Amino acid sequence: MDDRSKTYEELLIENGELKRDNDSLKIKYHDAVTNFERVKNEIDSLEIRLQTSIDSTNDVVTLLDRKYRQLVDCSNEAIVVVKGGFLCLTNPITRTITGYSEEEIGTIPFQLFIHPEDRARVVENHLKRLKGENIPSYYVFRLLNKNGSIRWVYMNAVLIDWDGSPATLNFLTDITNLKLAEEALEQSSQKWEAVIAASPDGIGMISLDGKIQLISDKLIRMHGYESNKMIDILGRSIFDFIDPSDHKLLLENTRKLISGEKSKQITEYKAVKKDNSRFYIDVNASVLHDSNGKPTSILYVERDITERKLAEAEIKKSNQELAKLNSEKDKLFSIIAHDLKSSFNNLIGFTEALATDSHNMSPAVITKYSSSLYRSVLALYTLLENLLEWALLQKGSILFTPKYLKFTDIFSLSKGSI
């Protein structure tokens, strides 16, 4: 049915519906415009906040970049980024170690900064790290300074992304002074070992409480141990190697040495070997101090004087025997001077009387003088025999030849002689 067939009432109803629809559309349009304005305002607000955020972010980035650069520049380590074979970032310490300016350092391939003997190793590690291979992060090598000097560095390297490309971030610590100190210490240690090896005496070191901290091979062998058995001695008490009879002396000397009462004088001790045998030593000790002058340990030099002590004992024995011989000699001279002189005086008296007055003597008197003279000569001869036997006995020239005798015979002899 078309519009012409519609009645007036139907048209009014349709017109009312259209009006309502139009009003609804107006309301929806107004709401849409209102929502658009609200959304537009929100978008504008978001744009403002976003720009503010971007500006703040840029400020933060700028601040972080400035602080990061300050941190890098103030670092005590050389900080280097290696990319494409060149140093694309360095700090002042890097330029100090290498001796190159900031303009020069970025134009030189990084491997030329490395000592030729270390170059292949460092370059190989760098390439492996760029490939992501698992290699040590820490190692030591030598850098070449622009003036030709060598600097030892300790490096810690990690793989990073730098402007979209793989690179390595490297932290290098200059350890040249430490290496020089290590070399000096090694040379000093070698000299110390050479002195110990060349010393004819044993050298050791003990703590203040008497525990052995160091002992030379000669000293180990001196006490009857094998050179490779140092572990059997280190940590033990020094008193284990000294005879108990000298422990009190050792303790007192150690106390005096630590307190400064005792100077570096040599002291003799009776020492103990591994097999518990004894030998004699002399010891010269000195206290070692730390940098503050505080005693830390005792260094001592020990010498085996057993042969000397035995020689001294032999000399002492010889001196005693010589003194005994001198005493016996004096006794002999005393006997000779007294007994022989008396016997000769008797002989001289009898022979003088016979020589001067025998013509006036009766036969009985001459016989009497002759008998006395015979007894004097016999006594003198017996004395000389005794002296000769005594001399042989002192020389050890008389052999001891024991014989078996019966007590009854001895008793009979004794009884018969009474």
Side-chain angles (χ1 to χ4, degrees):
M1 183 175 63
D2 57 18
D3 292 341
R4 288 177 296 184
S5 62
K6 294 180 180 178
T7 63
Y8 178 75
E9 290 79 6
E10 291 174 339
L11 290 173
L12 286 176
I13 293 171
E14 185 176 350
N15 183 54
E17 291 176 351
L18 290 174
K19 184 178 179 182
R20 286 192 299 272
D21 290 340
N22 184 50
D23 290 340
S24 176
L25 289 173
K26 285 182 179 180
I27 293 171
K28 289 181 179 180
Y29 172 77
H30 181 268
D31 291 341
V33 171
T34 301
N35 288 333
F36 174 78
E37 290 294 333
R38 180 177 59 79
V39 170
K40 183 177 181 300
N41 289 336
E42 290 179 355
I43 291 174
D44 290 341
S45 176
L46 286 173
E47 286 180 348
I48 292 172
R49 287 158 59 189
L50 179 61
Q51 186 61 47
T52 302
S53 177
I54 291 173
D55 292 341
S56 298
T57 301
N58 288 336
D59 291 341
V60 170
V61 170
T62 301
L63 179 61
L64 288 175
D65 182 66
R66 186 165 58 249
K67 289 187 175 296
Y68 157 77
R69 191 71 224 188
Q70 184 180 9
L71 178 64
V72 170
D73 288 347
C74 293
S75 173
N76 290 326
E77 293 182 307
I79 300 177
V80 178
V81 173
V82 180
K83 174 186 173 183
F86 289 88
L87 309 182
C88 59
L89 180 143
T90 60
N91 64 345
I93 294 294
T94 308
R95 299 187 283 276
T96 299
I97 293 176
T98 61
Y100 290 92
S101 66
E102 188 173 4
E103 293 74 19
E104 293 174 320
I105 206 168
T107 63
I108 302 172
F110 85 94
Q111 59 263 35
L112 296 183
F113 293 100
I114 303 168
H115 192 280
E117 294 180 7
D118 298 333
R119 190 171 295 161
R121 175 170 59 92
V122 176
V123 171
E124 180 183 6
N125 286 343
H126 174 73
L127 295 177
K128 286 182 178 180
R129 184 170 284 109
L130 290 178
K131 295 177 182 179
E133 296 184 24
N134 186 20
I135 61 171
S137 297
Y138 302 90
Y139 54 93
V140 175
F141 61 93
R142 288 163 289 181
L143 285 178
L144 291 176
N145 190 278
K146 184 179 181 180
N147 62 14
S149 62
I150 296 173
R151 309 298 298 179
W152 284 89
V153 294
Y154 174 82
M155 187 178 77
N156 178 16
V158 294
L159 179 63
I160 63 170
D161 180 274
W162 190 267
D163 293 336
S165 299
T168 59
L169 175 61
N170 309 272
F171 298 87
L172 296 88
T173 303
D174 188 343
I175 59 170
T176 304
N177 292 335
L178 178 61
K179 290 294 291 186
L180 293 176
E182 288 179 352
E183 291 176 359
L185 182 61
E186 178 65 23
Q187 292 177 1
S188 176
S189 177
Q190 290 176 356
K191 291 178 181 177
W192 166 252
E193 291 175 358
V195 169
I196 291 178
S199 173
D201 303 321
I203 298 176
M205 186 169 67
I206 61 173
S207 60
L208 298 183
D209 60 354
K211 297 295 188 298
I212 296 176
Q213 299 174 322
L214 178 146
I215 187 168
S216 67
D217 288 345
K218 282 188 176 65
L219 191 52
I220 292 175
R221 294 192 298 270
M222 194 182 297
H223 284 269
Y225 291 81
E226 298 178 11
S227 298
N228 59 355
K229 296 296 183 181
M230 185 181 295
I231 191 67
D232 294 340
I233 298 179
L234 293 180
R236 291 178 59 181
S237 172
I238 191 64
F239 289 91
D240 293 344
F241 303 92
I242 300 297
D243 187 84
S245 62
D246 282 339
H247 282 186
K248 185 177 181 181
L249 175 63
L250 176 60
L251 187 63
E252 181 64 15
N253 285 342
T254 302
R255 184 193 66 78
K256 289 182 178 179
L257 191 66
I258 296 174
S259 64
E261 298 177 31
K262 179 180 173 66
S263 60
K264 301 176 183 178
Q265 64 186 43
I266 296 175
T267 306
E268 294 183 0
Y269 300 98
K270 185 187 290 185
V272 181
K273 287 182 178 287
K274 182 181 180 182
D275 61 5
N276 209 36
S277 62
R278 270 39 177 182
F279 67 108
Y280 293 93
I281 59 172
D282 64 27
V283 176
N284 191 1
S286 179
V287 177
L288 301 180
H289 301 82
D290 61 16
S291 57
N292 297 319
K294 183 180 179 181
T296 58
S297 53
I298 298 173
L299 181 70
Y300 65 95
V301 178
E302 182 177 313
R303 175 175 295 179
D304 187 341
I305 59 169
T306 304
E307 292 185 2
R308 191 186 79 191
K309 292 290 288 186
L310 293 176
E312 289 176 354
E314 191 65 29
I315 292 173
K316 183 178 180 181
K317 181 180 178 183
S318 298
N319 289 337
Q320 290 174 344
E321 291 178 351
L322 182 61
K324 182 180 178 183
L325 288 174
N326 286 334
S327 175
E328 291 172 347
K329 178 194 67 175
D330 293 340
K331 186 186 295 184
L332 175 62
F333 287 158
S334 176
I335 292 172
I336 292 173
H338 181 269
D339 294 354
L340 285 181
K341 185 176 181 181
S342 297
S343 298
F344 275 108
N345 283 336
N346 290 334
L347 286 175
I348 291 172
F350 288 133
T351 54
E352 182 181 10
L354 290 172
T356 58
D357 200 30
S358 60
H359 59 281
N360 295 323
M361 295 180 183
S362 64
V365 173
I366 291 174
T367 300
K368 180 181 177 181
Y369 271 93
S370 297
S371 296
S372 298
L373 182 61
Y374 170 74
R375 287 193 298 272
S376 295
V377 171
L378 185 62
L380 181 60
Y381 178 76
T382 302
L383 177 61
L384 287 175
E385 274 194 332
N386 289 337
L387 289 174
L388 290 174
E389 287 182 2
W390 178 80
L392 292 174
L393 182 64
Q394 298 305 312
K395 290 174 60 179
S397 301
I398 297 178
L399 298 178
F400 176 62
T401 54
K403 295 180 180 180
Y404 288 101
L405 294 174
K406 293 181 180 180
F407 281 112
T408 54
D409 294 340
I410 297 174
F411 181 76
S412 298
L413 291 172
S414 300
K415 186 176 179 182
S417 61
I418 292 176

